[in-house]
Amino acid sequence: MAAEKKLAGYICTGCGIGERLDAKQLQAVATREGKLPSVKQHAMLCGAEGVKLIQDDIDAGNATHIMIAACSRRSKVEAFSFPTVAMSRANLREGVIWSRPAGDEHQETTQEMADDYIRMAAAEIKFMTVPESSGEQELNKTLLVVGGGMTGLTAAVEAAKAGYPVHLVCDEPVLGGVWKDLYKRVPFRAAAFDVPNGNDVDLPQPEDPGLDDLIERVMANGRITVHLNAKITKTSGAPGRFSADLSMESGRTLTENFGAIVQATDYKPYDANQLPEFAYGTTPDVLTNFEFERLAKQANGAVIKRPSDGREVKAVAFIQCAGQRSSKAGHLPYCSGFCCTESIKQAMYFKAQNPGCDATILFDDLRTPGAAGEDFYRSGQQAMVTFTKGQASAVVADGGNLRVKFKDLILNEDTEMVCDLVVLATGQVPNTGPDPYAQLAVDEAPTEEEKAAARAALAVAPPSILNLDYRQGTDLPHLKHGFVDSHFICFPYETRRTGIYAAGPVRRPMDLKQAMDDAVGATMKAIQSLENAARGSAAHPRVGDLSYPRFRKEGCTQCKRCTVECPFGAINEDEQRYPQFNESRCRRCGTCMGACPVRVISFDNYSVDTVGQQLKAVDVPDEFSEKPRILCLACENDAYPALDMAAQSGEHITPFVRVIPVRCLGSVSLSWVTDALNSGYDGIVLMGCRRDDDYQCHFVRGSAMAAERLSKVGDTLTQLNLETERVAVHEVAITDLKRAPAILNEMAETITRIGMSPFKF
């Protein structure tokens, strides 16, 4: 038997709320229409006395479901933290008084806004329950780090320093990965000024990579277990309870349990055999930057000699962007971000080790990101490295020399230079497994021809690294260039598989320093994930949320939409083809809830009813009042914060809009749209995140899924003889402080132009 719900409301009159609004009227609305038995006011509800007022009622057993009418739910989160009760918040500060101009002429509509938000919050709380942890997992502090390069080694050391045991899996016989051939590295610091005279600048110089020291620290650390020549043959489970089968060189399989996983498999050097125009492969004196690093390491500070005949190099050319930033077939369309500084470093080897050597860097755009940056470029200049703005077109082997043909971009003329050695600045190719969406395409292709094409694409895909036992594929989803999907704006390190984090060049091109910093960030995220999993709490961005999807099996039609549309692989299917939710993998976005056509999926604190009852609680005036009602469903991660900050900046919105925050636009149920239209709303605005290749959706595909579902709403409106302009979907960024309120104001103008809804009661 469900415990009795004890409802209570608390209205803050601080921050100007009491001066702009009739608090007694708000209290009356909460009591009479919201049906809250107890409603109290306080002049500063977020202060110690106000918080105590609420906590005392909770402790006395007088409140299990509370409504707080004060500031935005994004404000005072720590003050209004009452984890033992269900809570809704009416946004009277940012949502009403700060977003509306003062003055008697605006008082009536401003008060009506506030009254509605009280009704909405009171309605919401009645359909919420207190989330509880599933209790299915214990704390597992062990991390699995995949990759034995500098990124993986750094991740292992940082985790061990934090007190977390690590299993480091490397598929090679030695540690170091692609970085092990480094002779020296680009410095990790900017220029330092000589303090005694205050004028001289100590420009950064190439430094020892520090790899041997890092390997020694890993091998000596009692918390780190290293597995060389090992592969992962199966990974199953979820955050807090991952299980991985490690296949050893001996043929033995070791099964270990982990709390979280960091994939740090770095990159593979670009295959320069795809650059025949530069004579690669036809002469040993044309090298890639990776191959040259081995050559410099072999010289170990002595004179660098040509591979072909052992002659001392007197002139060398470095060709930047070799096979990069190009749309040609087989080339990399992106910049690898580390090549320019690597070439400067390598040119400095020659200037230091080969007296009188001419070192020329041919570049179109020279980019020097990182700590050393511009200062390191100046180091190259001081070392007398020649920087020529030119675009190389060919390398020709001519007897004992190499002729580099290029276009001088300053003089705008074709020319050439003669040298002994050419170094191609080739890029980074992510070391990832097959894209799981390519795997799904085989099963879900509608025709046999499309299935065959999908199989052909999969046949040339790289071997699996994690071998995930997920319905959605064996590895981490990719971005368009093959890098692991870990969005640089919204969630660095976080992949589409909860509890599995990407670090280093596997998620984007980067230099050594960036990769090591990346390892630290990913490791801290992984630790946070396993700790949250032990509490049954969600991962970013809803950290602390204990809710997870529940569904009524008897109402399920086995349509598989929730399974397919979940961005995070959190839903499998049982033997009877019913959805099988994995709460630890779930990010609590609600995309499954929005996908469900029969509305059987819900969360304890977020459901079709919690939102549906809010929009129904709004007082919708009749068609003669000239007061339209506009419903805005706003993403809580971008659009809702944008509206809050717009109000803080003094931007005003129409008094006729009622804003309901949603976890993600992907969670929007089409029933909310139809219910709003049937309830007499004149317009509906849905604000989600950007959804293209540069998406900003915190839940990856939620905004795109919503746009796809809502694409046919226009047909429904036409069938109902309603104008299609009444429902609008917009992409809104958190920085759209002026645009977000303008969208709502434009909808109000549209309603004025096309007229009130004929569906008003």
Side-chain angles (χ1 to χ4, degrees):
M1 183 177 178
E4 180 186 359
K5 293 182 180 179
K6 295 185 178 180
L7 308 176
Y10 303 89
I11 300 173
C12 181
T13 58
C15 294
I17 295 174
E19 287 77 31
R20 293 283 306 278
L21 301 172
D22 185 342
K24 288 185 178 180
Q25 181 173 324
L26 296 176
Q27 190 169 4
V29 169
T31 304
R32 289 199 302 265
E33 300 179 50
K35 306 298 182 184
L36 301 184
S38 170
V39 181
K40 300 177 181 179
Q41 295 183 32
H42 195 278
M44 189 177 177
L45 205 55
C46 63
E49 289 184 3
V51 171
K52 186 176 185 301
L53 173 71
I54 301 172
Q55 190 64 57
D56 285 348
D57 285 349
I58 295 172
D59 294 340
N62 297 326
T64 62
H65 292 64
I66 63 174
M67 183 275 291
I68 295 177
C71 48
S72 167
R73 65 178 63 194
R74 299 178 60 254
S75 299
K76 304 297 181 183
V77 176
E78 292 80 11
F80 297 138
S81 176
F82 305 104
T84 61
V85 299
M87 178 175 64
S88 67
R89 294 182 62 176
N91 187 355
L92 302 184
R93 189 179 70 176
E94 292 87 346
V96 181
I97 65 167
W98 286 2
S99 61
R100 295 294 305 138
D104 293 341
E105 68 273 26
H106 304 293
Q107 181 58 35
E108 180 182 350
T109 53
T110 300
Q111 183 71 39
E112 287 174 353
M113 286 183 77
D115 291 347
D116 272 343
Y117 282 125
I118 294 290
R119 296 184 186 100
M120 294 160 70
E124 180 187 23
I125 197 61
K126 294 170 188 172
F127 289 85
M128 296 172 69
T129 56
V130 182
E132 295 181 358
S133 172
S134 65
E136 292 189 9
Q137 55 277 336
E138 298 177 355
L139 176 61
N140 185 334
K141 298 183 67 172
T142 305
L143 280 177
L144 171 62
V145 175
V146 186
M150 290 285 267
T151 313
L153 294 169
T154 303
V157 167
E158 293 299 321
K161 282 165 58 178
Y164 291 79
V166 178
H167 282 255
L168 178 66
V169 176
C170 175
D171 64 357
E172 295 184 325
V174 295
L175 295 172
V178 74
W179 309 99
K180 64 178 173 288
D181 293 322
L182 276 185
Y183 170 43
K184 290 185 179 179
R185 62 169 170 79
V186 174
F188 291 172
R189 63 177 180 84
F193 287 87
D194 187 282
V195 177
N197 59 44
N199 294 316
D200 295 335
V201 177
D202 177 21
L203 289 174
Q205 302 295 316
E207 300 175 356
D208 182 85
L211 178 60
D212 292 339
D213 176 63
L214 187 56
I215 292 174
E216 186 177 333
R217 289 165 61 195
V218 166
M219 299 304 292
N221 196 308
R223 288 197 179 100
I224 302 175
T225 303
V226 177
H227 304 280
L228 296 175
N229 274 332
K231 295 183 182 296
I232 300 171
T233 51
K234 181 180 179 182
T235 306
S236 58
R241 57 177 190 273
F242 285 112
S243 176
D245 292 346
L246 311 181
S247 177
M248 304 302 176
E249 185 180 17
S250 63
R252 183 172 65 98
T253 298
L254 177 67
T255 301
E256 294 286 345
N257 298 319
F258 304 99
I261 300 171
V262 175
Q263 181 172 336
T265 46
D266 287 330
Y267 65 90
K268 295 171 287 190
Y270 174 76
D271 181 8
N273 286 302
Q274 299 181 80
L275 303 173
E277 65 272 25
F278 293 141
Y280 182 83
T282 62
T283 170
D285 295 331
V286 176
L287 306 171
T288 68
N289 43 6
F290 303 98
E291 293 167 339
F292 173 72
E293 202 66 25
R294 286 197 290 270
L295 185 67
K297 192 172 184 179
Q298 291 168 5
N300 195 26
V303 170
I304 300 173
K305 299 179 180 180
R306 294 205 320 177
S308 61
D309 55 14
R311 193 177 75 193
E312 179 181 342
V313 176
K314 291 294 185 180
V316 58
F318 294 85
I319 298 177
Q320 299 309 106
C321 301
Q324 298 187 75
R325 300 175 64 206
S326 166
S327 58
K328 292 182 181 178
H331 287 200
L332 305 179
Y334 51 84
C335 169
S336 290
F338 82 113
C339 324
C340 291
T341 49
E342 284 293 303
S343 293
I344 294 171
K345 177 194 73 174
Q346 292 173 344
M348 291 172 70
Y349 295 165
F350 278 105
K351 302 302 292 187
Q353 296 170 217
N354 290 25
C357 178
D358 290 327
T360 302
I361 294 178
L362 286 173
F363 69 95
D364 186 351
D365 296 303
L366 199 68
R367 301 175 177 182
T368 56
E374 186 75 10
D375 294 326
F376 195 57
Y377 168 64
R378 291 169 60 201
S379 295
Q381 287 180 313
Q382 286 199 355
M384 302 305 291
V385 174
T386 301
F387 293 89
T388 299
K389 190 170 177 61
Q391 201 164 46
S393 57
V395 175
V396 179
D398 184 9
N401 295 319
L402 298 172
R403 287 189 294 116
V404 180
K405 298 182 178 183
F406 67 98
K407 181 171 187 177
D408 189 312
L409 298 176
I410 301 297
L411 301 177
N412 194 30
E413 63 181 24
D414 293 326
T415 184
E416 64 179 43
M417 64 176 291
V418 178
C419 57
D420 304 317
L421 193 74
V422 170
V423 180
L424 304 177
T426 52
Q428 298 178 351
V429 178
N431 186 22
T432 56
D435 188 351
Y437 291 107
Q439 295 172 323
L440 284 174
V442 175
D443 299 326
E444 298 177 359
T447 66
E448 284 302 319
E449 291 78 9
E450 289 173 300
K451 285 183 185 290
R455 287 193 194 96
L458 199 59
V460 296
S464 178
I465 292 174
L466 295 179
N467 280 293
L468 296 171
D469 183 22
Y470 280 46
R471 179 198 177 277
Q472 293 82 358
T474 61
D475 286 84
L476 302 177
H478 296 180
L479 292 170
K480 62 181 178 180
H481 298 314
F483 293 92
V484 167
D485 189 354
S486 178
H487 198 273
F488 71 101
I489 292 177
C490 299
F491 41 90
Y493 325 119
E494 302 202 23
T495 70
R496 296 191 194 182
R497 299 296 173 256
T498 311
I500 304 177
Y501 296 85
V506 73
R507 71 177 192 89
R508 69 169 178 83
M510 61 180 71
D511 62 23
L512 183 59
K513 178 65 166 66
Q514 291 171 324
M516 296 175 73
D517 289 344
D518 224 50
V520 179
T523 302
M524 295 302 104
K525 277 289 188 180
I527 289 172
Q528 181 192 47
S529 173
L530 67 86
E531 292 284 352
N532 281 329
R535 292 187 287 268
S537 171
H540 174 81
R542 295 194 59 82
V543 174
D545 189 353
L546 296 176
S547 70
Y548 52 89
R550 302 175 184 270
F551 87 112
R552 290 187 297 105
K553 188 173 183 177
E554 62 274 13
C556 178
T557 61
Q558 300 175 313
C559 69
K560 295 173 59 175
R561 283 182 58 179
C562 62
T563 313
V564 172
E565 293 191 19
C566 175
F568 305 108
I571 311 173
N572 287 328
E573 295 165 13
D574 64 17
E575 295 176 353
Q576 297 177 315
R577 301 187 65 182
Y578 285 105
Q580 193 170 48
F581 293 88
N582 188 314
E583 80 290 345
S584 291
R585 294 182 191 172
C586 175
R587 300 268 180 99
R588 281 68 164 176
C589 62
T591 298
C592 57
M593 187 178 85
C596 181
V598 289
R599 297 182 284 181
V600 298
I601 301 174
S602 64
F603 296 77
D604 287 336
N605 52 6
Y606 184 66
S607 66
V608 171
D609 283 332
T610 60
V611 175
Q613 294 301 320
Q614 285 186 74
L615 66 90
K616 291 177 181 177
V618 171
D619 181 24
V620 179
D622 62 34
E623 58 185 310
F624 305 106
S625 67
E626 297 184 356
K627 292 180 179 178
R629 285 295 177 263
I630 300 167
L631 173 66
C632 174
L633 300 174
C635 162
E636 69 178 10
N637 292 301
D638 278 275
Y640 197 71
L643 289 171
D644 274 355
M645 291 186 287
Q648 293 166 8
S649 301
E651 299 292 327
H652 293 152
I653 63 172
T654 171
F656 306 126
V657 71
R658 303 297 180 259
V659 181
I660 299 177
V662 294
R663 292 188 176 181
C664 175
L665 216 57
S667 71
V668 171
S669 170
L670 290 179
S671 67
W672 297 340
V673 177
T674 56
D675 285 352
L677 293 172
N678 289 331
S679 298
Y681 282 86
D682 303 283
I684 302 172
V685 177
L686 297 100
M687 292 184 175
C689 303
R690 183 171 175 171
R691 55 181 180 268
D692 56 12
D693 286 336
D694 294 323
Y695 71 87
Q696 294 181 18
C697 177
H698 283 58
F699 297 112
V700 185
R701 300 172 67 202
S703 186
M705 291 292 183
E708 185 177 332
R709 292 182 211 136
L710 292 161
S711 62
K712 298 180 181 179
V713 168
D715 295 338
T716 303
L717 291 169
T718 301
Q719 292 171 5
L720 295 172
N721 290 321
L722 291 174
E723 297 83 356
T724 56
E725 300 101 308
R726 291 191 186 274
V727 178
V729 183
H730 292 275
E731 297 179 14
V732 176
I734 197 171
T735 53
D736 285 339
L737 307 193
K738 291 187 178 293
R739 179 170 168 266
I743 288 171
L744 300 178
N745 295 335
E746 287 168 9
M747 177 57 82
E749 293 172 3
T750 298
I751 300 303
T752 299
R753 176 174 54 83
I754 66 178
M756 299 286 192
S757 168
F759 284 11
K760 285 184 179 294
F761 295 140

